[in-house]
Amino acid sequence: MKNTLTRLRKFNKVICISLPVVLSILLVRMQSLAHRELSPLECRVKKWDIPVSLTAENQNVFTQKQKTVLIQRLPVTCCQGDTSCLDEVLYGEIPDKKALVSAIARSLQYLQTANAVAAYQNYKVAEIKRVRVFKSLERFRELLLKTNSATELHQAIEREFVLYQSVGKDNKGSILFTAYYEPLYAASRVPTAEYRYPVYRLPPDLNSWSKPHPTRLELEGVDGLQGAKGKLRGLELFWFRDRLEPYLAQIEGSARLQLPDGSQTTIGYAGHIAYNYKSIGRELMNDGKLPLEGITMPIILNYFQKHPQELNIYIPRDRSFVFFQENHGEPAQGSINVPLTAERSIATDKSLMPPGALALIHTSIPFVNLTGKMEERIVSRYVLDQDTGGAIKGAGRVDYFLGTGKLAGDRAGVTVSNGQLFYLLLK
């Protein structure tokens, strides 16, 4: 995954990794943040579910081995006063159109590649063709540029588009949303007494490695410092100060690096060994070190800050291992090899969902308010499906890309909510 922020994503055969992954993977469940009541229950929830009539109509399909994962339906009609139904930020005081238009252009670029042709030749939903996805994006971009309000855009979509809703994790449309980001770490091109923990280039002979592959423990040792004694010798790419940082970079699939001379560069996913990711957050809970409820990334990081010696216990339990390439400052890329756009790119299971397509998500996302506190808001966002992830499996998972740096990381670390996912196609 070139520049893929994947969070253990692009594991195409054993694990899907892509620019996403991550902190959300470590999340198990989060206690609710303050919830804002925006509209009556039937507006906030019921209308977003798959209509009962469609659920019944497809019930026989649900029982088949080859399940239907996307169900065609009409666009959701907004309830009066329900601001969560509209992507209002597109027309706010600081319009977000430019970012969305840029994300659309990147998907259009991808859809003209040989990889896209191959992906859609094998896509399981017969009505969703590459050409239809392409034309839908072009028309949506025209509407986006000429409309002057979120309501006007929504009305145009109701006239011209149909939705394909994911059946979710319960066949009623319920999706578990998490978020990921591109971390920023201090790193060095050479090892020093301060910078000791490496990340590694892709071994040129990885395809010839015998299976089962050596595990993380066998590759880098209990303390993460033994790589030069085995297959990883000479493949060191950058060195970090903290053992946890290169591991988190592997989970996220990419990182931005601040070098000692003041310059910055980026690294992205280049490959992986053939093991599934194991959550160290889950391991901490299994061992009774953390409670079974309310676990977030900040809680996990706080635990290891207090007990750094236990990194040598828990990191080796994750047998997976990710290799990197230097991307020289280029933005983090998703699994379709285009740069991701903060708040406008998502990761899904690409064995099920249409790559590069235009989607609408409806869920709760944490934001920092004017007092500096985190609050959860119910939002609708038009996004592009441009990535995948090791923990993003099935029709009921979406990972939402929040950007680069600490604030994005703070928000990603506490993002876990239920919502809905729709793909927009021209009638």
Side-chain angles (χ1 to χ4, degrees):
M1 159 183 115
K2 272 183 184 177
N3 241 11
T4 292
L5 232 200
T6 130
R7 225 192 191 160
L8 293 192
R9 283 159 152 87
K10 246 187 173 183
F11 285 45
N12 290 329
K13 295 185 180 171
V14 179
I15 282 187
C16 264
I17 287 195
S18 135
L19 242 182
V21 174
V22 146
L23 299 185
S24 335
I25 298 183
L26 299 179
L27 290 175
V28 179
R29 189 177 172 188
M30 177 186 86
Q31 293 175 338
S32 296
L33 296 173
H35 216 63
R36 225 167 45 165
E37 299 293 329
L38 296 178
S39 53
L41 180 62
E42 63 272 15
C43 291
R44 289 187 292 109
V45 180
K46 291 184 179 179
K47 68 173 182 177
W48 296 96
D49 289 342
I50 294 174
V52 174
S53 59
L54 293 179
T55 301
E57 186 178 308
N58 287 273
Q59 194 61 46
N60 62 323
V61 181
F62 291 147
T63 61
Q64 296 174 8
K65 186 176 180 181
Q66 190 71 28
K67 292 202 309 182
T68 291
V69 295
L70 296 174
I71 292 180
Q72 183 177 328
R73 60 171 292 178
L74 294 175
V76 175
T77 299
C78 294
C79 293
Q80 186 173 1
D82 181 12
T83 57
S84 73
C85 184
L86 304 171
D87 194 346
E88 290 194 314
V89 69
L90 289 171
Y91 304 86
E93 293 181 11
I94 305 176
D96 197 35
K97 279 189 181 183
K98 184 176 180 181
L100 183 53
V101 169
S102 176
I104 291 170
R106 289 165 176 168
S107 274
L108 289 171
Q109 173 189 340
Y110 159 75
L111 289 166
Q112 298 176 78
T113 66
N115 286 341
V117 172
Y120 278 92
Q121 280 179 343
N122 299 320
Y123 190 60
K124 298 173 183 177
V125 182
E127 317 93 90
I128 301 182
K129 306 289 188 184
R130 182 182 64 89
V131 172
R132 187 181 180 195
V133 172
F134 187 91
K135 290 182 177 178
S136 298
L137 277 172
E138 286 191 315
R139 179 55 180 160
F140 178 84
R141 181 171 60 181
E142 291 175 2
L143 295 172
L144 177 64
L145 293 174
K146 77 177 186 180
T147 52
N148 297 308
S149 71
T151 299
E152 186 181 350
L153 177 61
H154 187 89
Q155 290 171 345
I157 288 169
E158 285 189 294
R159 290 192 305 269
E160 299 189 31
F161 286 76
V162 294
L163 302 185
Y164 285 80
Q165 183 169 3
S166 172
V167 300
K169 58 189 178 182
D170 57 0
N171 290 335
K172 296 178 181 178
S174 181
I175 305 286
L176 174 62
F177 283 84
T178 52
Y180 65 108
Y181 78 111
E182 181 184 50
L184 174 62
Y185 297 128
S188 171
R189 292 185 182 277
V190 296
T192 67
E194 182 180 11
Y195 294 95
R196 299 190 299 149
Y197 299 96
V199 292
Y200 297 90
R201 297 179 178 86
L202 183 70
D205 61 344
L206 180 62
N207 290 336
S208 65
W209 283 16
S210 61
K211 291 186 179 180
H213 283 164
T215 64
R216 173 185 299 278
L217 176 61
E218 292 167 331
L219 287 172
E220 66 175 9
V222 169
D223 60 1
L225 296 173
Q226 309 307 312
K229 297 179 180 180
K231 286 181 173 291
L232 300 180
R233 180 179 179 84
L235 297 174
E236 296 87 351
L237 183 60
F238 288 95
W239 280 261
F240 295 72
R241 294 183 294 198
D242 186 314
R243 169 120 200 243
L244 189 57
E245 290 177 347
Y247 178 67
L248 292 177
Q250 290 188 42
I251 292 175
E252 291 293 343
S254 71
R256 185 167 293 273
L257 307 181
Q258 180 76 46
L259 302 178
D261 64 2
S263 64
Q264 288 190 1
T265 189
T266 52
I267 55 174
Y269 171 88
H272 67 281
I273 59 174
Y275 291 104
N276 286 310
Y277 165 81
K278 176 179 279 190
S279 166
I280 60 175
R282 171 61 68 181
E283 290 296 296
L284 286 167
M285 292 192 306
N286 290 343
D287 289 351
K289 300 294 182 71
L290 293 177
L292 296 178
E293 299 290 336
I295 299 302
T296 64
M297 191 53 161
I299 290 174
I300 294 169
L301 295 179
N302 183 62
Y303 180 86
F304 284 121
Q305 285 173 357
K306 293 179 179 178
H307 308 281
Q309 71 281 0
E310 293 194 23
L311 289 171
N312 293 348
I313 298 174
Y314 287 97
I315 290 180
R317 291 189 187 181
D318 179 12
R319 296 187 298 173
S320 69
F321 199 86
V322 173
F323 303 103
F324 292 94
Q325 62 188 14
E326 183 176 3
N327 291 324
H328 305 286
E330 293 180 7
Q333 287 192 332
S335 60
I336 64 172
N337 294 323
V338 300
L340 300 181
T341 303
E343 311 272 358
R344 297 295 170 182
S345 294
I346 61 170
T348 63
D349 186 338
K350 286 298 173 293
S351 69
L352 302 175
M353 302 305 171
L358 174 67
L360 173 68
I361 60 172
H362 182 75
T363 190
S364 296
I365 299 294
F367 293 86
V368 176
N369 63 24
L370 295 177
T371 66
K373 294 183 178 180
M374 205 79 77
E375 68 176 17
E376 195 173 303
R377 303 176 196 165
I378 301 172
V379 299
S380 293
R381 289 287 183 272
Y382 295 109
V383 295
L384 283 303
D385 193 339
Q386 297 173 328
D387 207 357
T388 189
I392 311 305
K393 298 294 180 63
R397 288 289 280 115
V398 169
D399 218 7
Y400 183 52
F401 180 59
L402 288 174
T404 301
K406 184 179 184 304
L407 178 58
D410 290 345
R411 293 175 64 203
V414 295
T415 298
V416 54
S417 61
N418 287 313
Q420 294 80 28
L421 169 67
F422 311 84
Y423 290 90
L424 282 70
L425 281 299
L426 282 171
K427 292 180 179 178

